[in-house]
Amino acid sequence: MNVPLWAWLAVLLFMVLMLALDLFAHRKAHVIGVREAALWSVVWVAFGVGFGVLVWKVYGAEFGQQYFAGYLIEKSLAVDNVFIWAIIFTYFAVPREYQHRVLFFGVLGALLFRGIFIAGGAAIITSAEWVLYIFAAFLLVTGFRMVRHRDDLLDPEKSRALKLFRRHVPMTNDFHGQRFLIRRRGVLLATPLLAVLVLVEATDIVFAVDSIPAIFAVTDEVFLVFTANAFAILGLRAMYFLLADLIHRFVYLKTGLALVLIWVGIKMFLKIDVYYIPTPVSLAVIVTILLVAVAASLWATRGQGRRPLPAPEGAPFGTASPEEMAALEPLWRRREPCRTNHP
């Protein structure tokens, strides 16, 4: 697959423009409702699918199918990430109107880190193909562990990233609007919103460790790996606001995701020296697993409506009063021009 430099630049420019549009559309803090989230979800899925159709037309069916297989894997694994975000936001009682800002910068960080992981993974595979055995074994072990611990939930308070952040970064105990940093009495302080952002980034890095090897099982093309990841990630914010109150209904989804990881691990093992499973077959298996998991979940929880996660007793952080907000000092101090005394 020969991808010219201008194609890379065009994709990156499109993503930057869409992120800028998203930021402009949500420049004012507000609660994102189901209708708005559904609209943005449709937009992002349309872009992801449309790009796959373009790949199919330009580079042929095989590469088009590889892109869609990778996109579907990343999109489905991202749902689990969305549920983790809901747990984090609920635990820290982050006001809903501030959650989009956290996720916006979280997505930017995710794109950066995944780009680094993809480049590193491609370089390793190119120089040492035997690493694919390690990736395959890792996917199998991760899949079986997900099945065993499918009912376990994240405890944000036990996060090592959060503990390190609190230990080394001075932080206020109150949310100050959408600010990540404030200056008070001359001291620069992080707000709880920045701590939440750090935790969101840390969880995404953990998920990337699973998802990057998984997508390499269905395609070796770096361009497809990156674009499938990017288009799947760009729609995560809208997906979160659409699905956050429906976590209780996807009771079998984690088992389905575990089976997808096990399947792609088996596929990676076989394709090294034994047999290359055709991409249409692999794609059909992934779609079947996910459809069965979602259908079984919705059937088992039929009749249940939307409801947020139960909030913990006693929110760990408060909210700054209007008087405290008004008393904040400018975040970045301006340097006064040097005055020269003339005789």
Side-chain angles (χ1 to χ4, degrees), residues 17-73:
L17 291 176
M18 288 305 301
L19 286 170
L21 176 62
D22 190 299
L23 184 61
F24 177 79
H26 300 92
R27 62 192 181 280
K28 294 183 179 180
H30 67 280
V31 177
I32 297 178
V34 175
R35 179 177 298 180
E36 183 180 354
L39 177 61
W40 277 98
S41 294
V42 170
V43 169
W44 287 116
V45 170
F47 282 137
V49 173
F51 184 80
V53 172
L54 182 63
V55 171
W56 195 307
K57 288 186 176 181
V58 175
Y59 292 100
E62 176 60 26
F63 288 123
Q65 291 165 1
Q66 289 181 16
Y67 168 84
F68 280 115
Y71 177 77
L72 191 58
I73 289 174

Side-chain angles (χ1 to χ4, degrees), residues 176-191:
H176 288 70
Q178 295 192 90
R179 300 170 186 256
F180 291 117
L181 296 168
I182 63 168
R183 185 177 293 277
R184 190 168 59 192
R185 299 186 185 94
V187 179
L188 194 64
L189 300 171
T191 69

Side-chain angles (χ1 to χ4, degrees), residues 13 17 73 105 124 133 137 164 171 233 245 251 278 301 319 338:
L13 178 61
L17 291 176
I73 289 174
F105 288 99
I124 292 173
Y133 287 110
L164 287 173
M171 187 176 76
I233 291 172
D245 294 341
V251 292
T301 58
T319 302
C338 296

